[in-house]
Amino acid sequence: MANDASVVSDTLSPAVSKGSLADLFTPPADSTLWRKNFLLGAATASYQIEGAVNEGGRLPSIWDTFSATPGKVLAGDNGAVACDHYHRWEADVEMLVSLGLEGYRLSIAWPRVMDAAGVPNRKGLDFYKRLLNRLKEKGITTFATLYHWDLPQHLEDRGGWLNRETAYRFADYADLMSRELAGTVDAWATLNEPWCSAYLGYGNGHHAPGLADHRFATQAMHHLLLAHGLAVPVLRANDPASQKGIVANIGRGTPNSDSAADQRAAHLFEVQHNAWILDPLLKGSYPQDLFELWPGTEPLVLDGDMQTISAPLDFLGINYYFRTNVASDGAHGFRDVPLEGVERTQMGWEVYPDGLRDLLTGFKKTYHNLPPIYITENGMASDDQVTDGHVEDTQRISFLKRHLAAVDQAIKAGVDIRGYFLWSLMDNFEWAFGYERRFGVVHVDYSTQKRTIKRSAELVAKFLKERKARA
Ligand code: FCB
């Protein structure tokens, strides 16, 4: 199909070139973001953009099942068509290139590339080969995530992440993908946001597969992290030149008062959000405070598991969105106390860039072996409309500027951060919120699949162009 995106031209739209919005975005002269080796890219995920769920031999995933279950996804939306990226990938790559983005983080759909017996599906593999080859031809740095939540349904039917066997199947899948795609991927991420897979999927049921028991969540987490740990040496053996890492979403928890109980509540919030994942990866143990918060939920851990899980990483991907203000729940936990009068996004999430800086500088103190970091997702949803062919996403422009400033501050405080990926390249299927929440820097009209570059993307493109032109 023709690329119907209104591709950024040399002459930016008048409102942008006049300066006001550009000033809102452009990093100050002393920002480390002007350094050319700081990678700036955009991210997507397979189920959120590909569509074509029944094509090319793709098998059902837990998100097909979950979104077909009444009441689970807003407006009954599902990923059957999404952004139709499976068919429009060439134009989408052109769009990425036209924006001057230097990196692209995508994910591979496990149910597209292997059947239940582990037999490779050539058609699915070819799709990713073509896509990654094209990205390499265009000089884009590629980050491939192996698991961005679309577990094959046949594995869920056998217990999913509650079944230790799934971790071994994941290592087989990582083996296949790294043999097939070696040379086209610059960085492999095993998992995207194990917190969401384990907690939202098995702990509170907001995501597929929709189970709700803290005991399930901790066991699922253990098997997810084990899957990661088993996959890392396989990726190293098959594709030694690439970087290997994992992507964690991190949450800032702040206490509602100075009371010791509220301080403890904020600490426990961050333990379950951050240390639950980062401690096993970087210290080789689960934080004991987690089991104060959720008593009796210790997972079954076999000898050697923690060593497998804590194998050294080449990078840590960090996804950050908002903070949560909490108070003690009067027992051994915390409760959310939403702050009044703060800036929020379409998701209701508070805009709080300092949280990103504070978490990153905190991790540097806590984890002596903290690997180099990429911000693998950051962005916001707004109810964007196309007017006269343009989308004025002013809040996003300001959001991105402030979060990039937080990254710059963390770098200046000594954290090794090497890049930043916007979430997301384009509007897409936002999980339980369906298509209503628009996170893209490119607008998608789902009735026509027309892509329209938003002002935010124009300004990122303008910045990248200026950066490139500098001596
Ligand atoms: C993250 C997910 C990503 C997207 C953003 C908004 O938790 O990794 O797929 O949904 O949130």
Side-chain angles (χ1 to χ4, degrees), residues 48 148-149 192-193 196 319 321 349 377 423 430-431 439:
Q48 296 182 275
H148 201 125
W149 309 351
N192 177 67
E193 301 190 349
C196 292
N319 296 353
Y321 289 95
W349 294 348
E377 284 180 29
W423 184 270
E430 178 45 37
W431 308 112
F439 273 93

Side-chain angles (χ1 to χ4, degrees), residues 43 63 94 115 127 184 201 268 271 274 351 402 419 447 470:
W63 271 94
E94 283 310 312
D115 75 6
F127 170 70
T184 61
L268 289 176
V271 164
N274 309 326
V351 179
R402 286 177 282 165
S447 59
R470 288 201 169 184

Side-chain angles (χ1 to χ4, degrees), residues 293-366:
L293 180 67
W294 299 332
T297 65
E298 287 85 349
L300 179 65
V301 176
L302 301 190
D303 274 358
D305 284 1
M306 299 315 290
Q307 268 131 296
T308 304
I309 289 171
S310 56
L313 300 171
D314 302 327
F315 75 95
L316 176 65
I318 289 290
N319 296 353
Y320 174 78
Y321 289 95
F322 59 96
R323 77 142 151 196
T324 308
N325 188 60
V326 298
S328 165
D329 66 357
H332 48 69
F334 56 82
R335 65 186 167 87
D336 291 11
V337 185
L339 292 171
E340 306 273 332
V342 294
E343 181 185 347
R344 293 186 183 277
T345 69
Q346 190 193 15
M347 295 294 283
W349 294 348
E350 184 189 345
V351 179
Y352 191 67
D354 286 356
L356 175 58
R357 179 200 58 208
D358 295 346
L359 286 167
L360 291 169
T361 51
F363 295 155
K364 180 156 167 67
K365 288 195 195 104
T366 310

Side-chain angles (χ1 to χ4, degrees), residues 44 76 85 107 128 175 207 221-222 253 297 396 424 450:
T44 61
H85 174 74
S107 83
Y128 294 109
D175 181 38
H207 280 184
M221 177 65 85
H222 186 65
T297 65
R396 179 173 295 103
S424 176
K450 182 176 167 58

Side-chain angles (χ1 to χ4, degrees), residues 88-146:
R88 294 167 194 262
W89 66 272
E90 293 187 88
D92 288 339
V93 170
E94 283 310 312
M95 182 171 80
L96 186 83
V97 171
S98 78
L99 291 170
L101 291 165
E102 300 161 339
Y104 183 49
R105 173 175 175 245
L106 59 95
S107 83
I108 292 160
W110 189 351
R112 239 186 236 298
V113 294
M114 253 185 156
D115 75 6
V119 177
N121 174 25
R122 195 43 55 193
K123 283 188 182 158
L125 290 168
D126 285 348
F127 170 70
Y128 294 109
K129 274 192 180 173
R130 282 193 294 267
L131 174 59
L132 283 155
N133 278 323
R134 179 69 56 83
L135 289 161
K136 287 319 305 165
E137 272 164 43
K138 299 285 180 182
I140 306 276
T141 299
T142 51
F143 275 55
T145 305
L146 284 165

Side-chain angles (χ1 to χ4, degrees), residues 252-273 289 292-293 324-337:
R252 182 70 170 142
T254 50
N256 194 43
S257 79
D258 290 341
S259 76
D262 286 357
Q263 305 268 349
R264 179 77 185 155
H267 166 73
L268 289 176
F269 173 89
E270 291 195 358
V271 164
Q272 63 84 36
H273 221 97
D289 287 357
E292 176 186 326
L293 180 67
T324 308
N325 188 60
V326 298
S328 165
D329 66 357
H332 48 69
F334 56 82
R335 65 186 167 87
D336 291 11
V337 185

